[in-house]
Amino acid sequence: MGFIDYEVDGAVGIITINRPKALNALNEDVLNELEQAFDAVDLSVVRCLILTGAGEKSFVAGADIGAMSTMTKAEGTAFGKKGNDIFLKIEKFPIPVIAAINGFALGGGCEISMSCDIRICSENALFGQPEVGLGITPGFGGTQRLARLVGAGMAKQLIYTARNIDAAEAKRIGLVNEVYPLADLMPAAKKMAAGIAGNAPIAVRACKKAINEGLQVSIDEGVAIEEELFGNCFESYDQREGMANFLRKKDDPKKVRKVAFKNE
Ligand code: CAA
């Protein structure tokens, strides 16, 4: 692939958007390759993904402004749909995706991070939805996900003013969970991903599904979704082994060991 790097480290997959000449901006080719990269993840091995940008300056500097500058209405609509379809794929991807935001996360860059489950960033990260300064709306889900993440009032302020915010402010408003010195970002992302990957994968996947689907419906429907997924766990090796291990520990603390969950 020309614009996407993919590596697997144990049960953690790392997808890197790599278009340094344009600060990893998203054009049609980058979006296509990104989709192919997600489609190619081997879910029998990989239990958690990290999404990041190449280099030390930019996560993703947005959708490609040069490419958009000549689009017709139909082309603009199709480009928005392409981005939205792929970002929905990331949001609904069966395993957790951590965005390791290593610099600019503007426009489509902020939007792709918001389609991930968890956002952590480096101190030099910069977030914003600058689209109204370019004569467009956010087009890859920004109006929807920013409002859901930080509340409608704050999302409206950021989007209407097109003001960028630094990492500390992004943390203050709940857009990112943690901020690290740049050199510590990937080690922290890998540690978090490995921790997630070490937990029962069926249960982790079910948690993602329950949270995502529950947020779209009433609390009554949400808890019904949880009930079904909770019940399903009781057919798994992971539940039997996880609970048996807890009981073994009570019998004899020397028998404490890390459970090797099996994804079955
Ligand atoms: N699209 C295309 N190219 C981009 C780009 C983008 N979004 N962002 C940066 N680049 C390119 C620049 O054109 C430049 O290319 P050349 O060297 O060929 O001139 C290269 O990346 C380096 O950029 P700068 O020289 O501008 O670097 P800088 O450090 O001075 O500034 C920056 C960095 C503040 C991120 C600045 O590049 C910038 O403001 N970029 C645009 C950010 C933006 O507005 N993003 C939102 C796009 S709209 C969108 O995303 C719509 C949507 O919701 C789908």
Side-chain angles (χ1 to χ4, degrees), residues 137-191:
T137 65
F140 292 165
T143 56
Q144 304 307 303
R145 292 195 181 90
L146 190 59
R148 283 166 169 77
L149 268 173
V150 303
M154 183 58 78
K156 285 177 175 176
Q157 182 179 330
L158 289 173
I159 290 172
Y160 299 168
T161 62
R163 186 174 69 86
N164 294 338
I165 57 170
D166 64 15
E169 193 170 352
K171 182 166 182 202
R172 187 179 63 76
I173 66 170
L175 183 54
V176 296
N177 295 1
E178 298 296 340
V179 182
Y180 299 93
L182 181 60
D184 298 341
L185 177 65
M186 282 311 287
K190 287 179 185 173
K191 188 173 172 201

Side-chain angles (χ1 to χ4, degrees), residues 10-256:
V12 175
I14 303 171
I15 294 178
T16 305
I17 300 173
N18 189 354
R19 191 186 172 211
K21 279 187 191 156
L23 300 179
N24 306 325
L26 305 171
N27 62 16
E28 195 114 2
D29 290 339
V30 179
L31 288 172
N32 285 335
E33 287 191 16
L34 191 61
E35 181 167 34
Q36 287 163 24
F38 273 87
D39 286 343
V41 172
D42 182 351
L43 291 171
S44 68
V45 174
V46 176
R47 296 180 180 179
C48 187
L49 282 173
I50 298 170
L51 179 69
T52 193
E56 302 197 329
K57 190 174 166 182
S58 184
F59 172 65
V60 170
D64 191 299
I65 298 172
M68 286 187 294
S69 64
T70 56
M71 284 182 185
T72 62
K73 176 181 171 179
E75 288 166 343
T77 306
F79 188 56
K81 178 163 170 37
K82 180 177 266 296
N84 277 332
D85 286 351
I86 297 168
F87 291 12
L88 280 169
K89 175 174 282 197
I90 297 172
E91 189 168 75
K92 294 178 186 172
F93 206 65
I95 57 175
V97 185
I98 300 169
I101 302 155
N102 56 315
F104 298 121
L106 301 173
C110 188
E111 290 168 307
I112 197 171
S113 81
M114 292 191 291
S115 71
C116 298
D117 296 273
I118 295 167
R119 280 154 297 288
I120 59 175
C121 75
S122 53
E123 288 165 345
N124 65 327
L126 195 72
F127 297 82
Q129 297 291 159
E131 286 88 351
V132 295
L134 295 162
I136 55 173
T137 65
F140 292 165
T143 56
Q144 304 307 303
R145 292 195 181 90
L146 190 59
R148 283 166 169 77
L149 268 173
V150 303
M154 183 58 78
K156 285 177 175 176
Q157 182 179 330
L158 289 173
I159 290 172
Y160 299 168
T161 62
R163 186 174 69 86
N164 294 338
I165 57 170
D166 64 15
E169 193 170 352
K171 182 166 182 202
R172 187 179 63 76
I173 66 170
L175 183 54
V176 296
N177 295 1
E178 298 296 340
V179 182
Y180 299 93
L182 181 60
D184 298 341
L185 177 65
M186 282 311 287
K190 287 179 185 173
K191 188 173 172 201
M192 187 188 289
I196 291 170
N199 288 327
I202 291 174
V204 170
R205 287 182 184 209
C207 291
K208 173 165 179 168
K209 194 173 158 66
I211 294 169
N212 279 1
E213 293 183 7
L215 283 171
Q216 311 300 325
V217 296
S218 71
I219 184 74
D220 300 84
E221 293 165 292
V223 294
I225 292 169
E226 187 189 83
E227 274 160 27
E228 192 185 342
L229 291 163
F230 176 70
N232 290 347
C233 293
F234 290 84
E235 288 185 321
S236 69
Y237 166 90
D238 290 351
Q239 176 268 333
R240 287 191 301 279
E241 188 53 23
M243 293 192 177
N245 191 50
F246 177 82
L247 297 174
R248 270 196 299 269
K249 273 191 246 176
K250 279 173 81 171
D251 272 0
D252 178 359
K254 284 189 206 122
K255 286 189 187 163
V256 172

